[in-house]
C-alpha cells in the first residue's frame, strides 16, 4: 500500500511491525482481535500476545517510519511465558486498555 492509503487511523497511528512473544509466534504474524472495538469493552480480547521483554513493554514501528515503546498497563497482557510450547490463540480480556491501544492503532475498514 501507499502511505496515502492509510486513512483510518493514518500512517503515524498505524503500527506495522511489533515485538511478539516467543510462545505466541504461530504463523509469524500478529492478529489484533477487533471484536468490540471501539465501544464494547466486554468483548475485547487477544488472538496473539505481544512481547513484554522491555520492562513490561514492546517495540512498535509505524507506517510513517517512527517507532515507539509501549508499556503495558494490564497484567493480563503479560501472562507468564510458556517454555517449549505455544500458547493458545484466543484470550478474552474484557476492558483491557492495552487491547484498546492496539485496536486503535490498527488498520480497519473504511465505513
Amino acid at each position: 500500500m501507499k502511505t496515502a492509503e492509510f486513512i483510518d487511523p493514518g500512517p503515524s497511528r498505524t503500527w506495522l511491525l511489533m515485538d511478539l512473544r516467543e510462545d505466541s509466534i504461530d504463523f509469524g504474524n500478529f492478529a489484533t482481535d477487533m471484536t468490540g472495538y471501539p465501544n464494547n469493552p466486554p468483548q475485547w480480547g487477544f488472538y496473539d500476545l505481544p512481547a513484554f521483554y522491555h520492562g513490561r513493554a514492546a517495540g512498535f514501528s509505524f507506517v510513517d517510519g517512527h517507532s515507539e515503546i509501549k508499556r503495558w498497563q494490564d497484567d493480563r497482557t503479560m501472562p507468564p511465558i510458556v517454555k517449549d510450547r505455544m500458547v493458545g490463540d484466543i484470550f478474552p480480556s474484557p476492558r483491557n486498555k492495552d487491547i484498546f491501544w492496539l485496536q486503535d492503532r490498527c488498520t480497519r475498514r473504511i465505513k
Side-chain angles (χ1 to χ4, degrees):
M1 295 182 73
K2 296 179 181 178
T3 304
E5 294 177 279
F6 287 86
I7 297 167
D8 185 10
S12 67
R13 290 192 34 90
T14 304
W15 64 264
L16 184 62
L17 299 171
M18 66 174 293
D19 289 333
L20 187 60
R21 291 168 52 116
E22 63 191 66
D23 59 355
S24 193
I25 302 172
D26 45 11
F27 297 109
N29 66 327
F30 183 92
T32 302
D33 184 351
M34 297 298 286
T35 305
Y37 177 82
N39 53 10
N40 196 351
Q43 293 186 346
W44 294 349
F46 289 104
Y47 286 139
D48 296 304
L49 293 170
F52 56 95
Y53 306 125
H54 307 289
R56 296 177 53 101
F60 287 82
S61 64
F62 288 77
V63 171
D64 71 347
H66 87 277
S67 61
E68 295 179 15
I69 298 291
K70 168 61 178 156
R71 186 164 172 15
W72 304 120
Q73 298 176 15
D74 192 310
D75 288 337
R76 295 174 294 169
T77 304
M78 304 163 285
I81 298 287
V82 177
K83 295 292 184 186
D84 300 322
R85 69 180 178 89
M86 303 298 288
V87 294
D89 280 341
I90 298 174
F91 303 89
S93 196
R95 295 178 178 80
N96 183 332
K97 292 179 183 178
D98 298 330
I99 293 173
F100 182 80
W101 188 92
L102 289 164
Q103 291 173 331
D104 204 42
R105 287 156 182 83
C106 283
T107 57
R108 49 192 160 270
R109 291 188 176 120
I110 298 172
K111 298 173 185 164

